[in-house]
Amino acid sequence: MSIEHAKCLGVVDGAMFILEGGQTVTLAGVRAPRMGLPGGSAMRTILQRHVQDREITYEQIGVDRSGFPSVSASANNQDLGAIMKQALIDYGYVD
């Protein structure tokens, strides 16, 4: 797979966001609570702070269980998966 770049247009939850062109992707290996569940809103806000209206560098590495592209991604040279995994630990959602 190849490395691509696109602007983030919106955030669905703490692991899923929408890129230019309407493509919805998920961060590989990030199991954030969905919206409506405890922690869902907080995780969405954290991801939003890092990606909203920013250029995202990403590479598709698979497909999630819902059929969305699963990506390794960064914004401002920061690994988004690592950021969100640490946020989940900090907020007590994973060990």
Side-chain angles (χ1 to χ4, degrees):
M1 307 248 168
S2 63
I3 295 175
E4 300 183 47
H5 306 274
K7 184 177 179 180
C8 176
L9 301 179
V11 177
V12 177
D13 59 28
M16 183 179 286
F17 52 95
I18 304 164
L19 299 170
E20 281 180 309
Q23 183 180 30
T24 300
V25 298
T26 61
L27 289 171
V30 176
R31 303 284 296 191
R34 299 287 184 210
M35 293 299 295
L37 296 176
S41 181
M43 292 301 108
R44 179 180 183 266
T45 298
I46 292 168
L47 182 59
Q48 197 168 34
R49 287 182 191 148
H50 289 280
V51 301
Q52 187 70 48
D53 298 323
R54 295 198 175 138
E55 185 78 12
I56 307 299
T57 300
Y58 67 99
E59 181 176 20
Q60 183 176 342
I61 58 173
V63 177
D64 75 5
R65 61 187 174 176
S66 298
F68 291 103
S70 180
V71 301
S72 172
S74 63
N76 295 329
N77 293 319
Q78 295 182 317
D79 180 335
L80 296 172
I83 289 169
M84 293 311 297
K85 287 176 185 177
Q86 187 60 54
L88 288 162
I89 291 168
D90 292 348
Y91 279 76
Y93 296 111
V94 294
D95 298 324

